[in-house]
């Protein structure tokens, strides 16, 4: 009987240690997710756009857990595309949320990978894109949307701020 109790005790202890290790690994992975995307705010103009179009993104930090963006494309003076964008923290998870013109609900991409000045967001259930990557180098911002065999690159340069 003592051998059975001892064996059960060893098994329970082993399971408990494995559970703690799993929790520690999950906490370590979550700690690599940033608390700040302060490198992103500003006014950006796409430099690899078609000659007859101009595309812009504007990012603003609206709180410790939220950054809002607005992207749009002009052809001549007409707005031909626009979307609202957010980086928002829900509990311990950062999401990249995109709401196109006329859409009621955002498409949500979860931030999967992060390093200073760069992140990757993913939503494998979305038709296109499935992945969104942003990276910053000096006054250049690079974004790539991809998935489903397609990839589109957006190269931006920071616009100078106008002070009144």
């Amino acid at each position: 009987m003592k051998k059975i109790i001892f064996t059960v005790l060893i098994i329970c202890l082993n399971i408990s240690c494995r559970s703690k290790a799993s929790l520690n690994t999950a906490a370590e992975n979550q700690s690599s997710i940033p608390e700040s995307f302060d490198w992103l705010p500003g006014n950006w103009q796409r430099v690899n756009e078609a000659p007859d179009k101009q595309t812009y993104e504007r990012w603003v930090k609206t709180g410790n857990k939220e950054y809002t963006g607005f992207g749009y494309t002009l052809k001549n003076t007409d707005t031909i595309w626009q979307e609202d964008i957010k980086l928002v923290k829900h509990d311990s998870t950062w999401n990249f949320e995109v709401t196109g013109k006329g859409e009621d609900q955002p498409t949500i991409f979860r931030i999967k990978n992060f390093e200073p000045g760069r992140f990757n967001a993913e939503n494998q259930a979305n038709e296109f894109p499935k992945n969104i990557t942003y990276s910053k180098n000096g006054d250049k911002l690079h974004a790539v949307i991809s998935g489903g065999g397609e990839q589109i690159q957006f190269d931006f340069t920071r616009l100078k701020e106008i002070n009144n």
Side-chain angles (χ1 to χ4, degrees), residues 20-75:
K20 285 183 180 178
S22 295
L23 289 173
N24 287 342
T25 301
E28 287 171 11
N29 288 343
Q30 198 55 242
S31 69
S32 67
I33 301 297
E35 292 302 316
S36 165
F37 292 88
D38 286 351
W39 50 270
L40 187 57
N43 294 307
W44 302 92
Q45 181 175 8
R46 186 174 180 191
V47 294
N48 64 332
E49 184 59 90
D52 62 337
K53 297 178 186 172
Q54 301 88 43
T55 297
Y56 301 91
E57 276 192 15
R58 175 177 169 79
W59 284 93
V60 176
K61 182 175 183 177
T62 54
N64 289 332
K65 297 180 180 184
E66 185 172 289
Y67 298 77
T68 59
F70 180 69
Y72 63 99
T73 299
L74 300 173
K75 185 171 183 174

Side-chain angles (χ1 to χ4, degrees), residues 5-6 17-18 25 42 66 71 94 118 120 128 132 138 154 156 158:
I5 293 173
F6 183 71
C17 289
R18 285 185 187 170
T25 301
E66 185 172 289
W94 280 92
R118 177 180 167 74
N120 176 263
F128 181 82
I132 299 173
F154 297 83
F156 294 92
R158 184 183 295 275

